[in-house]
Amino acid sequence: INFKNYCPSVDIFICTLNETADLLSTTISACKNINYPNKKVYVLDDGRREEIKELTEMLDCNYITRENNIGFKAGNINHALKQTNSEIVVIFDADHVPASTFLKETVYNFVDENVALVQTPQHFCNPDAFQKNLELPDFLANEQDMFYRIIEPSLNEFDSVFCGGTNILIRRKHLESVGNFPETTITEDSLLGLEFHSKGYKIIYYNKPVS
């Protein structure tokens, strides 16, 4: 496959329950601004809010909601999967803002047909609870840094990467082969990663903050 011409279809899912329209507008705008021609952006609103639907209309993206919250985030994503059909699915939590290069830097990994998921780091602009409460944001590392800067890169060397639930790309057909996101646990992301590993699929860690 010519990497330069590799351009699988991508659906970007922004998962939300009660985040504000102001916060979501930043995330939606950033997703629409990703420099990639074959993509669609969807807001998955498990809060069933009219103002969020109006926001998606104003920003010219797609809106999906449902009548209940069965399965929580996993159920929300699985519901949207039934209404979409892209080759690759990207998932962002409502407060993660991707760089415009997000897809061009990561999607090429799916040239390998055995790759089921690409995980990128979670990187935070705001201080976590420890940094904030101790008033030491310049001296304490964010509590996620150990995992995303040390543990995940190490796991990548042993083909054992964990799925972190956001800032991820997933091959739809491999996701379908394991029954989509598991709805039996609140840690659906970790279990999905284990399901992929158990099937012999590969998870790649892209060790650079791109959101």
Side-chain angles (χ1 to χ4, degrees):
I1 296 176
N2 186 328
F3 281 95
K4 187 175 180 181
N5 296 325
Y6 183 65
C7 191
S9 57
V10 175
D11 287 335
I12 299 173
F13 291 171
I14 303 169
C15 303
T16 179
L17 174 64
N18 54 17
E19 291 81 7
T20 65
D22 186 47
L23 184 147
L24 279 165
S25 65
T26 302
T27 304
I28 294 169
S29 298
C31 288
K32 285 181 60 67
N33 195 48
I34 291 175
N35 185 13
Y36 189 82
N38 196 13
K39 73 176 193 296
K40 295 179 181 178
V41 178
Y42 295 83
V43 172
L44 281 49
D45 179 23
D46 245 8
R48 295 173 286 280
R49 295 162 291 169
E50 187 61 33
E51 67 269 23
I52 302 304
K53 183 178 181 181
E54 292 174 359
L55 176 68
T56 61
E57 293 171 351
M58 182 177 70
L59 295 178
D60 191 28
C61 69
N62 303 282
Y63 178 83
I64 296 178
T65 190
R66 55 185 181 145
E67 295 180 353
N68 55 59
N69 298 92
I70 293 174
F72 304 102
K73 180 182 176 183
N76 192 16
I77 295 170
N78 290 340
H79 175 257
L81 287 169
K82 297 174 184 177
Q83 302 179 55
T84 55
N85 58 12
S86 64
E87 298 169 71
I88 307 297
V89 176
V90 172
I91 296 173
F92 290 114
D93 286 346
D95 58 349
H96 283 268
V97 179
S100 62
T101 58
F102 182 88
L103 286 172
K104 288 196 171 183
E105 292 195 47
T106 55
V107 79
Y108 71 89
N109 286 286
F110 291 98
V111 168
D112 180 350
E113 282 290 328
N114 197 44
V115 170
L117 188 148
V118 175
Q119 175 72 57
T120 72
Q122 293 187 35
H123 177 75
F124 296 89
C125 298
N126 56 300
D128 67 18
F130 295 103
Q131 293 171 316
K132 181 179 179 181
N133 293 337
L134 295 174
E135 299 182 353
L136 294 171
D138 296 328
F139 299 96
L140 285 181
N142 188 288
E143 63 177 328
Q144 296 280 2
D145 286 350
M146 171 69 82
F147 184 71
Y148 285 105
R149 295 187 181 187
I150 298 174
I151 296 175
E152 282 281 59
S154 301
L155 291 173
N156 194 58
E157 296 300 311
F158 296 94
D159 293 328
S160 303
V161 174
F162 272 86
C163 172
T166 184
N167 309 356
I168 56 177
L169 305 89
I170 307 175
R171 192 189 302 273
R172 183 187 292 262
K173 69 178 182 180
H174 290 349
L175 182 58
E176 291 175 345
S177 76
V178 298
N180 294 328
F181 273 81
E183 299 182 22
T184 56
T185 173
I186 60 171
T187 53
E188 74 288 331
D189 46 5
S190 295
L191 182 53
L192 177 65
L194 293 173
E195 291 276 11
F196 281 149
H197 285 306
S198 73
K199 295 289 186 181
Y201 295 134
K202 193 168 185 177
I203 301 178
I204 300 290
Y205 183 63
Y206 183 69
N207 191 13
K208 176 184 173 183
V210 281
S211 59

